[in-house]
């Protein structure tokens, strides 16, 4: 089966074909840096990471752009609340964002353009739209896109513009889903903007949110590119508006495949800042969960299904990771020159690879892809425990897991480096000093599982690698 994705634009699964052979150009709506990202945001970023990594696995060169929205209604409000400059305010959250994606093992995109550094590119598009008569200056001095000028408006979200006349104008970046409005491309400065403005031929002001993504995607990826992603909440109005303004400006198809991830939810509701039902990545790590556990939880549900976040789910992901770690550890330590290569193991390896690719080719169907890895792991375990495993076979199994892990990023590192060992030993010492023996034992067991033996001597704790 060829690689296929569900395309929000056509509402069906389609075979993926890139515009340029061997290269995928993709744009992912990035964070608005007004606060720490919550794990709902990371659900979407992890989906995009899986997509990127699988495209690379399939042999594509990926050129990915993720924008950083560092000027919009929310960032300006935040900076003003704290009485700091917009740049100072957003720098803090930009830095946190990059730290967080590293923590979760999210691969870096090729470009992270910031909105504030692309104002001329945005103005160039607005100029074109005004010249074509599809954008106009309203009484408030702002420039709006005339939605009724774009007959295909609604093709992504399914809204029927033919029947619904645009019901006015909206300057806000985010607005009610029920109504179709002419939306702001350039917002005339008002008092709420404080010292945030740019001079332009349209007067002093700042760009709307939607135009940011059109300008930055087309600058780095061209007027037509392969994939655009985001969470489902981006479909309307954000992505619908991106299509309308981009295609009106260029006269070309903007994007071929639109992929959207469903929400991470808590008690049936979308995790979001405005509902207050959110955890940042840092919150959860502080509670003692590992980045790998969080990554596993976020990646293991199909991206088009809602992911119900619970702490039980996080705990369950730790059990799965432990199984993987144990297996890999066993491979490293039980393989032997005395055992012959086993054709059953060779068959399992071939089948595992086939299953993995068959499932991920099918719109990144991750649950059966991971499921079949664990099923094969059970079979391999039985063979290894009863018949042992040759060094050669062990290497091939390890090689296969390493290949899968280029896509999943969930296989725990079994070989700790000396620094990590020292850190864990120190944490154990602290726990012992605090008479927290349960915690100290937990760390000792963790070290043991990773092949490190700790001994408490009158001179302090020493450790050695198990042979
Ligand atoms: P924002 O910073 O609000 O612009 O969101 C950044 C990305 O996170 C967008 O692609 C959103 O669609 C996505 N997102 C926001 N909340 C959630 C959620 N609860 N579950 C999944 N994705 C989300
Ligand atoms: Zn966007």
């Amino acid at each position: 089966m060829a690689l296929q994705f569900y395309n929000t634009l056509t509402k069906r699964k389609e075979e993926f074909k890139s515009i340029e052979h061997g290269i995928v150009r993709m744009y992912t709506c990035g964070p608005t840096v007004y606060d720490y990202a919550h794990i709902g945001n990371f659900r979407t970023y992890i989906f995009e990471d899986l997509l990127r990594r699988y495209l690379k696995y399939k042999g594509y060169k990926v050129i990915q752009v993720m924008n950083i929205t560092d000027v919009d209604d929310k960032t300006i409000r935040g900076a003003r609340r704290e009485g700091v400059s917009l740049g100072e305010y957003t720098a803090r959250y930009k830095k946190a964002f990059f730290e967080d994606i590293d923590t979760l093992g999210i691969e870096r995109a090729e470009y992270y353009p910031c909105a504030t550094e692309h104002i001329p590119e945005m103005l160039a598009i607005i100029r074109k739209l005004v010249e074509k008569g599809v954008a106009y200056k309203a009484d408030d001095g702002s420039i709006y896109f005339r939605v009724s000028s774009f007959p295909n408006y609604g093709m992504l979200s399914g809204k029927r513009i033919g029947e619904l006349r645009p019901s006015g104008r909206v300057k806000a970046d985010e607005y009610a889903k029920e109504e179709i409005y002419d939306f702001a491309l350039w917002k005339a400065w008002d008092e709420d903007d404080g010292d945030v403005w740019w001079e332009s031929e349209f007067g002093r002001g700042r760009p709307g949110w939607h135009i940011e993504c059109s300008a930055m995607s087309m600058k780095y990826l061209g007027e037509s590119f392969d994939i655009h992603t985001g969470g489902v909440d981006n479909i309307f109005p954000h992505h619908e508006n991106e299509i309308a303004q981009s295609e009106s400006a260029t006269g070309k198809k903007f994007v071929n495949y639109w992929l959207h991830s469903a929400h991470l939810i808590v008690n049936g509701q979308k995790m979001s800042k405005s509902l207050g039902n959110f955890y940042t990545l840092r919150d959860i790590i502080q509670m003692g969960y590992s980045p790998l556990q969080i990554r596993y939880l976020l990646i293991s549900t199909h991206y088009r299904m809602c992911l119900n976040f619970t702490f039980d789910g996080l705990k369950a992901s730790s059990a799965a990771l432990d199984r993987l770690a144990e297996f890999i550890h066993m491979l490293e330590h039980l393989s032997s020159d005395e055992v012959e290569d086993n054709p059953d193991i060779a068959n399992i390896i071939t089948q595992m690879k086939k299953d993995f690719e068959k499932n991920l080719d099918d719109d990144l169907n991750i649950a059966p892809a991971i499921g079949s890895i664990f099923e094969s792991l059970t079979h391999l375990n039985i063979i290894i425990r009863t018949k042992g495993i040759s060094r050669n076979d062990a290497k091939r199994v390890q090689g296969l897991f390493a290949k899968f892990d280029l896509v999943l990023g969930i296989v725990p590192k079994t070989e700790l480096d000396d620094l990590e060992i020292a850190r864990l030993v120190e944490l154990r010492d602290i726990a012992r000093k605090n008479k927290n023996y349960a915690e100290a034992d937990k760390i000792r067991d963790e070290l043991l599982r990773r092949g490190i033996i700790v001994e408490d001597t009158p001179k302090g704790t020493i450790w050695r690698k198990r042979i």
Side-chain angles (χ1 to χ4, degrees):
M1 185 175 55
L3 177 61
Q4 28 178 332
F5 296 128
Y6 180 87
N7 190 349
T8 312
L9 193 61
T10 55
K11 321 269 175 293
R12 57 185 176 83
K13 277 190 207 167
E14 287 176 1
E15 184 177 339
F16 177 71
K17 289 202 178 102
S18 60
I19 295 171
E20 189 177 339
H21 180 75
I23 300 185
V24 178
R25 292 185 170 81
M26 75 177 206
Y27 187 84
T28 49
C29 281
T32 306
V33 280
Y34 73 107
D35 202 345
Y36 295 103
H38 59 65
I39 55 157
N41 301 128
F42 287 113
R43 199 256 160 134
T44 293
Y45 303 144
I46 288 268
F47 141 63
E48 289 155 349
D49 186 48
L50 172 66
L51 172 63
R52 171 194 168 84
R53 285 166 175 252
Y54 193 58
L55 287 165
K56 283 170 66 178
Y57 177 98
K58 297 290 282 184
Y60 288 103
K61 174 180 172 193
V62 175
I63 304 175
Q64 182 191 1
V65 177
M66 179 180 265
N67 68 298
I68 307 281
T69 300
D70 58 354
V71 56
D72 82 322
D73 300 348
K74 290 186 280 196
T75 43
I76 293 177
R77 219 179 296 135
R80 295 206 75 194
R81 200 177 43 233
E82 287 195 12
V84 295
S85 72
L86 182 66
E88 197 180 323
Y89 183 76
T90 56
R92 185 193 313 157
Y93 298 111
K94 271 182 210 170
K95 182 166 170 278
F97 171 71
F98 287 111
E99 284 168 3
D100 286 354
I101 60 172
D102 288 349
T103 301
L104 282 179
I106 293 175
E107 275 189 11
R108 294 281 180 118
E110 280 59 37
Y111 299 97
Y112 288 99
C114 290
T116 51
E117 288 161 17
H118 293 78
I119 305 292
E121 288 85 347
M122 297 178 209
L123 287 167
I125 300 176
I126 300 172
R127 195 173 305 127
K128 259 195 197 166
L129 296 173
V130 171
E131 278 165 14
K132 290 188 174 192
V134 298
Y136 61 92
K137 192 169 204 163
D139 314 339
D140 65 355
S142 298
I143 308 287
Y144 290 88
F145 181 85
R146 194 187 311 280
V147 167
S148 61
S149 72
F150 189 66
N152 283 338
Y153 196 86
M155 64 177 158
L156 187 72
S157 60
K159 291 184 186 295
R160 300 233 286 273
I161 182 75
E163 294 157 21
L164 290 161
R165 291 279 98 208
S167 48
R169 263 181 234 124
V170 61
K171 200 172 163 190
D173 285 327
E174 290 171 82
Y175 52 88
K177 303 254 180 266
E178 306 77 48
E179 294 183 84
I180 294 183
Y181 293 114
D182 286 356
F183 56 90
L185 298 165
W186 186 255
K187 302 181 182 203
W189 180 87
D190 67 29
E191 274 171 18
D192 291 341
D193 293 341
D195 60 359
V196 179
W197 76 74
W198 285 263
E199 294 295 354
S200 81
E201 69 226 66
F202 309 112
R204 176 176 288 188
R206 63 178 171 99
W209 172 38
H210 316 298
I211 196 73
E212 294 181 8
C213 284
S214 288
M216 293 191 275
S217 58
M218 292 198 284
K219 170 166 180 178
Y220 295 94
L221 302 174
E223 290 180 342
S224 300
F225 56 93
D226 301 300
I227 302 179
H228 195 313
T229 66
V232 285
D233 56 313
N234 285 156
I235 297 174
F236 187 86
H238 186 47
H239 291 165
E240 195 72 67
N241 291 354
E242 274 188 50
I243 295 176
Q245 65 203 5
S246 306
E247 298 195 355
S248 295
T250 66
K252 295 180 190 155
K253 187 174 185 189
F254 179 43
V255 172
N256 285 340
Y257 302 86
W258 288 86
L259 274 61
H260 292 99
S261 54
H263 284 144
L264 179 139
I265 55 173
V266 193
N267 298 325
Q269 279 183 307
K270 175 190 171 195
M271 178 175 282
S272 74
K273 293 272 156 59
S274 51
L275 289 172
N277 60 350
F278 67 94
Y279 293 101
T280 65
L281 180 63
R282 287 143 199 257
D283 291 337
I284 297 186
I285 287 176
Q286 276 240 311
M287 289 175 195
Y289 297 96
S290 74
L292 220 49
Q293 262 174 294
I294 302 165
R295 181 176 173 94
Y296 185 85
L297 180 80
L298 296 179
I299 208 169
S300 54
T301 298
H302 189 270
Y303 76 93
R304 283 194 297 115
M305 295 194 8
C306 278
L307 167 57
N308 192 21
F309 174 78
T310 61
F311 285 100
D312 283 343
L314 261 183
K315 284 176 195 138
S317 63
S318 139
L321 292 169
D322 281 350
R323 261 189 83 194
L324 265 180
E326 245 170 60
F327 177 75
I328 287 168
H329 188 253
M330 183 180 76
L331 272 183
E332 275 159 13
H333 292 85
L334 287 191
S335 65
S336 146
D337 287 330
E338 256 109 80
V339 179
E340 303 231 326
D341 293 353
N342 183 341
D344 288 346
I345 293 184
N347 289 339
I348 292 176
I349 290 177
T350 311
Q351 192 57 43
M352 280 177 85
K353 191 158 173 290
K354 259 196 205 151
D355 287 345
F356 184 76
E357 290 172 10
K358 182 188 81 189
N359 286 312
L360 289 182
D361 277 351
D362 180 13
D363 194 30
L364 304 177
N365 202 359
I366 188 82
I370 293 181
S372 75
I373 293 178
F374 279 107
E375 223 172 88
S376 312
L377 212 132
T378 307
H379 294 151
L380 285 169
N381 254 322
I382 295 170
I383 296 177
I384 296 170
R385 288 193 192 282
T386 52
K387 301 186 178 153
I389 183 166
S390 71
R391 282 213 201 284
N392 204 10
D393 280 344
K395 276 221 175 74
R396 288 163 67 191
V397 176
Q398 279 166 335
L400 181 73
F401 274 84
K403 200 156 189 278
F404 288 168
D405 208 44
L406 289 177
V407 178
L408 304 174
I410 56 168
V411 175
K413 264 201 299 168
T414 48
E415 291 299 336
L416 292 168
D417 64 37
D418 288 0
L419 214 76
E420 288 169 306
I421 298 169
R423 195 178 57 83
L424 283 172
V425 169
E426 195 185 317
L427 281 178
R428 180 171 171 271
D429 278 348
I430 295 171
R432 276 163 52 86
K433 273 195 198 111
N434 293 336
K435 301 208 176 348
N436 186 352
Y437 296 113
E439 178 65 19
D441 288 349
K442 212 171 112 194
I443 299 174
R444 190 200 51 212
D445 292 347
E446 163 75 15
L447 282 163
L448 194 61
R449 208 164 48 74
R450 318 271 292 257
I452 307 298
I453 296 167
V454 283
E455 278 169 28
D456 299 310
T457 72
K459 285 189 184 153
T461 310
I462 55 168
W463 61 266
R464 63 188 160 82
K465 290 195 176 160
R466 191 166 58 188
I467 310 156

